[in-house]
Amino acid sequence: MMNINLLLVIIATTAALLLGTTGSNAISRHDDQRKNHIVYMGSLSPENSFNHLMAANNRHHNLLSSVLGDEELARSVRVSSFGRSFDGFSARLLPEEAERLKAHPNVVSVFPNQIRELHTTRSWDLIGVTQSVRRNLKFERDVIVGVLDTGINVDAPSFNDKGLGPPPAKWKGICQEGANFNRCNNKVIGARAYAFDNDHGEPASSPCDLEGHGSHTASTVAGSLVQGASLYGLMKGTARGGVPSARIAMYKVCGKYCTDLNILHGFDDAIADGVDIISLSAGGGPFAGYFTDAISIGSFHAMRKGVLTSVAAGNSGPDPNTVSNVAPWLMTVGASGTDRQLVTPITIGRDGFKTLGNSINTVSSGKKFLPLVSGRTAQNSSSNDAKTFPGACIDGSTSKEMVKGKVVLCNGAIEGDSVLKRDGALGMLMADYKGELDAAYAFVLPTAMITPERYLAIERYINSTKNPQVLIHKSRSIHVDSPFVASFSSRGPDRYSKTILKPDLVAPGVNILGAYTNLASLTSSPLDNRFSNFNIMSGTSMACPHATAAAAYIKSFHPDWSPAAVKSALMTTASPIKVPEKQAEYAYGSGQIDPTRAVDPGLVYDLTEDDYVRFLCNMGYNRVMMKPIVGRDVACPLTKAKVWSSDALNYPSMNLQLPIPGTGGPVAAVFWRTVTNVGAANATYKAEVGGDVAGWSIKVVPETLVFWEVNERKSFRVMVRGPPVNIDDGVLSASVEWRDTEGRWSVRSPIVISADLLT
Ligand SMILES: *[C@@H]1O[C@H](CO)[C@@H](O)[C@H](O)[C@H]1NC(C)=O
Ligand SMILES: *[C@@H]1O[C@H](CO)[C@@H](O)[C@H](O)[C@H]1NC(C)=O
Ligand SMILES: *[C@@H]1O[C@H](CO)[C@@H](O)[C@H](O)[C@H]1NC(C)=O
């Protein structure tokens, strides 16, 4: 890398001398107004992919200096180049320079480098992957999972490489050593870190995990077996990944948050290094289209190389229209809850009542009652926050003297534990108004999150006695009904991909025990001195690696399946979940994954690059734009096909958002689909329509599909007729299920129709 840069400087300097340009004098550089931008140039042409990064550096320098008209300026503002798996570079640009680059014929898009958020064990047994499950170890050992995340703690017990031989021959990656990171092993076979981003702080000096997030997600995918794992005794059991024999390659693209630039570099390397599947538990932020979005771009090129990308749907639920990572070639994963929930018992007053809160409380306050004070009483009377949010525990709103040595009852403010710990408080009872008590979180003080009703009851108790007292016990796990969709899991429909149902599916993402880093405390707070090789975390970040592992598991049985076939297998064998009517499939997509069933799905809805290109043409991406992206001329039809025509994407779920009445009449839609037989030769399938379809007519034509051979394809149509849809109707939630006559397979697709909220 160093040599390449040095060489370039010499070439460029020579060129500058020859041309006689002295950029810095001639042009005002406005360095302080420059922002990191990504210049995306599509796929690599065969001649460009030959010489990799060195050639790319040269090409990008030439393009940039021709557009800027200044060699030296081009050299000083260009930050990095992609060029192993797709084409593009990054540079610190002024808005008008970005505009000029956009107009260049070789450039697909130019967009500012944005921040993406991290979407922060029993879970495997719950979805049917027990330790004794049938495995294809010969191939599982050859599966390489690329994890784009915050780095990895190789020393964690989950990443021991007992019983694993050297990396598979196809592996072309590296182990990048550096601060706090000096080795890979036969489990973690590769690691890279990216330090291109100066706008957003924290350049990565090594793939070492300072956050714990990357170690946690990587261990969920492919961690080795660790017996007796727990967090201070909580959730004790055997920790293991979904594919414990698979290999991990870590691409550190995130610190406290991730950036588009680092994410694109992660994809560029992971694809070229030879990973089989990519897992990315981050997303969110502005979205303006597939090819101005780093995750959509990187995963599109991964798909072209046969690599499926599994992503987190986001933690912005339960509101509708919050799902992120919506490109149809992504597997978008929401979070479900498991049957174990963590509760924290509290005892209010010596003869008082016992109740339950939620938190990850690693210590008990013991038998000794602690004095309890209400945030209303303990408020700092000269603080404005105290007046605006009575009883809340915000920095400055409580009085130090009043909280010291006490447990404080707080009327909201989630970060109150740090403020109170600093001021010498002993514990915290915190009212939760977001209704997110299905997941438990760790705090720097003994803490219990409580419902608003319990908050009022405890305040009444405080008001009724002279000496209010409380005990906060260590958390314990209780059995709850499962699965359910986690409150925080982002919901569809999506505003941009209106014909694609997102999220695609859900997997466990609540209170997941996984590997952690010893470089961060349990809560990441400097006030916390608890360190552990394991931590309990919740989020679609934790759901995504479960689905990644499930996909890797399928890949170990069917190494030749396309990314779309693997995803289809997981979707058509998933089980729907009970949720409030109005959310329906927008909460869980096709349902909770069932990896052991998905290995043998019977039929798959397959997709090729050409199918995605047709879909993109229909969405308005014209041939001029598509040509560089796929590196060849594509024939976009002149008239855009209707979304539900035979040209629609052969997606394993069926979704339509329709204009609300006034603009739209009665619904008459047709979903055209084609299934590929991956079960047995000579199989007959019959269609069955399910769901609450009163007032609707749903017909499948033909109703019977007869296959004589494996890999034979058969097409059918689902014709839906019904009254005009209203926003108040919620959604039409139905399904079509293909069942074979021998009772071996059932292949289910949800059908969802709703009013488009934005028309
Ligand atoms: C109360 O708030 C004021 C204003 O923010 C601050 O100056 C003062 O130190 C606080 N007093 C206590 C006891 O925390
Ligand atoms: C407790 O007393 C405070 C102060 O008098 C009052 O503002 C609050 O509403 C009371 N809480 C309850 C639940 O009665
Ligand atoms: C094909 O299926 C039919 C109907 O299930 C059965 O009668 C027939 O024996 C099968 N033929 C073969 C070659 O398996």
Side-chain angles (χ1 to χ4, degrees):
M1 192 67 202
M2 208 57 221
N3 286 338
I4 294 167
N5 279 334
L6 283 175
L7 185 62
L8 251 181
V9 171
I10 295 162
I11 297 169
T13 312
T14 316
L17 284 174
L18 288 175
L19 291 168
T21 52
T22 52
S24 49
N25 293 337
I27 295 178
S28 162
R29 299 161 49 113
H30 301 292
D31 275 346
D32 51 330
Q33 289 160 41
R34 294 184 173 277
K35 293 240 153 58
N36 232 329
H37 281 72
I38 289 151
V39 182
Y40 170 56
M41 297 167 63
S43 63
L44 291 161
S45 59
E47 63 270 27
N48 287 343
S49 60
F50 182 65
N51 215 350
H52 295 321
L53 282 178
M54 184 153 140
N57 270 311
N58 250 327
R59 237 166 352 93
H60 298 151
H61 172 76
N62 291 341
L63 185 142
L64 187 57
S65 38
S66 81
V67 171
L68 298 183
D70 185 322
E71 284 273 354
E72 195 183 319
L73 181 64
R75 191 166 60 254
S76 70
V77 299
R78 196 166 58 85
V79 177
S80 67
S81 273
F82 317 107
R84 297 185 70 205
S85 304
F86 48 84
D87 203 10
F89 62 94
S90 67
R92 301 183 58 76
L93 301 173
L94 299 172
E96 62 266 27
E97 294 168 349
E99 287 305 317
R100 257 149 67 208
L101 271 163
K102 248 180 227 173
H104 193 281
N106 291 2
V107 171
V108 176
S109 59
V110 181
F111 52 99
N113 185 27
Q114 306 269 12
I115 286 182
R116 307 288 154 180
E117 287 170 346
L118 293 164
H119 288 155
T120 329
T121 296
R122 287 262 298 193
S123 49
W124 282 115
D125 292 335
L126 200 79
I127 53 176
V129 184
T130 61
Q131 274 187 58
S132 55
V133 76
R134 183 172 68 103
R135 290 192 178 276
N136 197 353
L137 280 181
K138 186 169 164 295
F139 286 110
E140 186 175 312
R141 288 191 189 106
D142 283 348
V143 174
I144 306 170
V145 183
V147 183
L148 274 55
D149 213 300
T150 65
I152 193 160
N153 168 23
V154 182
D155 297 325
S158 296
F159 303 122
N160 79 74
D161 62 357
K162 242 190 348 227
L164 287 173
K170 66 186 174 191
W171 175 240
K172 295 197 279 286
I174 60 162
C175 184
Q176 179 186 324
E177 296 178 358
N180 289 327
F181 196 91
N182 54 22
R183 70 181 179 106
C184 293
N185 61 17
N186 288 332
K187 164 58 68 183
V188 182
I189 60 171
R192 294 178 189 264
Y194 303 94
F196 295 117
D197 187 19
N198 309 319
D199 290 348
H200 303 299
E202 233 198 320
S205 53
S206 87
C208 162
D209 185 5
L210 303 177
E211 310 297 326
H213 189 274
S215 303
H216 199 282
T217 58
S219 73
T220 298
V221 184
S224 302
L225 251 67
V226 183
Q227 264 147 20
S230 76
L231 173 65
Y232 287 83
L234 298 177
M235 298 221 147
K236 199 164 183 155
T238 299
R240 69 199 156 87
V243 275
S245 298
R247 320 298 181 115
I248 297 165
M250 173 57 67
Y251 298 84
K252 182 172 171 178
V253 300
C254 312
K256 287 212 179 330
Y257 32 73
C258 328
T259 65
D260 283 348
L261 179 50
N262 291 344
I263 287 170
L264 276 175
H265 276 286
F267 273 107
D268 192 36
D269 280 330
I271 300 165
D273 286 349
V275 306
D276 295 292
I277 182 160
I278 290 173
S279 196
L280 174 52
S281 289
F287 181 85
Y290 301 128
F291 296 101
T292 49
D293 177 72
I295 296 174
S296 306
I297 291 171
S299 57
F300 186 82
H301 290 281
M303 175 275 294
R304 296 186 74 220
K305 296 278 160 61
V307 176
L308 176 64
T309 303
S310 167
V311 284
N315 299 342
S316 308
D319 292 337
N321 294 113
T322 47
V323 65
S324 77
N325 292 329
V326 292
W329 47 87
L330 287 166
M331 180 163 74
T332 311
V333 188
S336 62
T338 68
D339 62 344
R340 277 205 300 185
Q341 213 163 46
L342 276 174
V343 292
T344 303
I346 39 189
T347 310
I348 308 290
R350 276 175 200 282
D351 339 294
F353 56 99
K354 291 184 165 58
T355 184
L356 293 176
N358 295 67
S359 62
I360 302 171
N361 201 35
T362 58
V363 289
S364 179
S365 60
K367 290 208 164 57
K368 199 168 153 270
F369 275 89
L370 300 172
L372 175 64
V373 66
S374 164
R376 285 183 200 275
T377 317
Q379 73 182 19
N380 175 348
S381 50
S382 53
S383 146
N384 281 331
D385 279 343
K387 285 171 202 132
T388 323
F389 308 105
C393 301
I394 306 166
D395 198 358
S397 75
T398 49
S399 145
K400 200 169 173 167
E401 288 75 46
M402 294 290 286
V403 303
K404 192 169 175 209
K406 299 191 179 109
V407 173
V408 187
L409 176 70
C410 301
N411 193 18
I414 193 102
E415 69 283 7
D417 62 325
S418 303
V419 175
L420 296 176
K421 168 121 185 169
R422 183 200 60 202
D423 291 346
L426 298 180
M428 177 175 86
L429 303 177
M430 168 76 74
D432 164 82
Y433 291 98
K434 289 184 73 190
E436 291 200 344
L437 291 180
D438 46 5
Y441 301 94
F443 298 86
V444 297
L445 281 174
T447 290
M449 299 287 290
I450 48 176
T451 61
E453 294 72 40
R454 281 180 190 141
Y455 170 86
L456 285 177
I458 296 171
E459 200 178 59
R460 262 195 301 279
Y461 157 75
I462 294 176
N463 285 357
S464 73
T465 182
K466 249 211 195 105
N467 247 330
Q469 292 184 315
V470 67
L471 277 181
I472 305 178
H473 305 273
K474 186 173 176 174
S475 304
R476 58 185 169 82
S477 43
I478 57 164
H479 189 91
V480 292
D481 287 342
S482 71
F484 55 91
V485 178
S487 56
F488 56 75
S489 187
S490 289
R491 266 60 167 181
D494 180 54
R495 299 189 157 129
Y496 191 79
S497 310
K498 289 186 178 172
T499 59
I500 307 293
L501 177 62
K502 291 280 177 175
D504 288 306
L505 35 76
V506 294
V510 176
N511 300 340
I512 305 296
L513 183 73
Y516 199 60
T517 179
N518 31 36
L519 296 172
S521 69
L522 290 192
T523 54
S524 305
S525 164
L527 298 172
D528 191 349
N529 53 15
R530 292 166 301 170
F531 294 84
S532 169
N533 278 324
F534 293 95
N535 201 354
I536 296 165
M537 297 173 110
S538 296
T540 51
S541 274
M542 283 66 236
C544 165
H546 277 93
T548 308
Y553 179 67
I554 295 170
K555 209 63 188 160
S556 72
F557 287 90
H558 309 288
D560 56 330
W561 279 14
S562 73
V566 171
K567 181 168 114 177
S568 170
L570 281 167
M571 287 170 70
T572 61
T573 55
S575 320
I577 295 178
K578 256 195 144 71
V579 292
E581 244 168 61
K582 283 206 165 191
Q583 297 189 340
E585 279 80 0
Y586 291 130
Y588 56 77
S590 291
Q592 169 94 327
I593 56 168
D594 186 344
T596 45
R597 261 193 74 199
V599 165
D600 183 20
L603 307 174
V604 292
Y605 293 79
D606 207 355
L607 283 166
T608 62
E609 181 184 318
D610 287 343
D611 297 317
Y612 290 117
V613 169
R614 253 202 314 281
F615 165 82
L616 289 165
C617 287
N618 280 334
M619 280 199 75
Y621 293 82
N622 60 34
R623 60 188 294 177
V624 176
M625 185 168 183
M626 288 313 299
K627 185 178 173 177
I629 295 173
V630 293
R632 66 192 148 81
D633 234 326
V634 297
C636 274
L638 284 177
T639 52
K640 277 203 249 168
K642 283 205 171 145
V643 288
W644 52 81
S645 77
S646 56
D647 245 4
L649 201 61
N650 191 35
Y651 213 71
S653 56
M654 300 167 198
N655 179 51
L656 263 190
Q657 291 176 70
L658 291 169
I660 55 173
T663 47
V667 176
V670 183
F671 297 97
W672 298 67
R673 292 291 188 271
T674 300
V675 282
T676 307
N677 180 23
V678 294
N682 190 18
T684 301
Y685 284 83
K686 285 195 183 336
E688 213 170 89
V689 171
D692 180 15
V693 293
W696 290 76
S697 141
I698 300 180
K699 278 209 182 79
V700 185
V701 182
E703 280 182 294
T704 305
L705 298 177
V706 181
F707 295 92
W708 301 106
E709 288 164 43
V710 174
N711 289 330
E712 194 180 339
R713 294 157 62 84
K714 282 268 147 77
S715 295
F716 65 93
R717 282 169 295 160
V718 178
M719 298 155 83
V720 183
R721 284 178 178 280
V725 282
N726 266 302
I727 289 191
D728 297 338
D729 293 345
V731 299
L732 168 79
S733 170
S735 65
V736 57
E737 193 163 349
W738 288 105
R739 289 170 183 276
D740 78 305
T741 49
E742 309 281 305
R744 239 183 109 180
W745 295 287
S746 63
V747 188
R748 185 180 182 280
S749 295
I751 305 171
V752 188
I753 295 180
S754 67
D756 184 347
L757 298 170
L758 295 183
T759 49

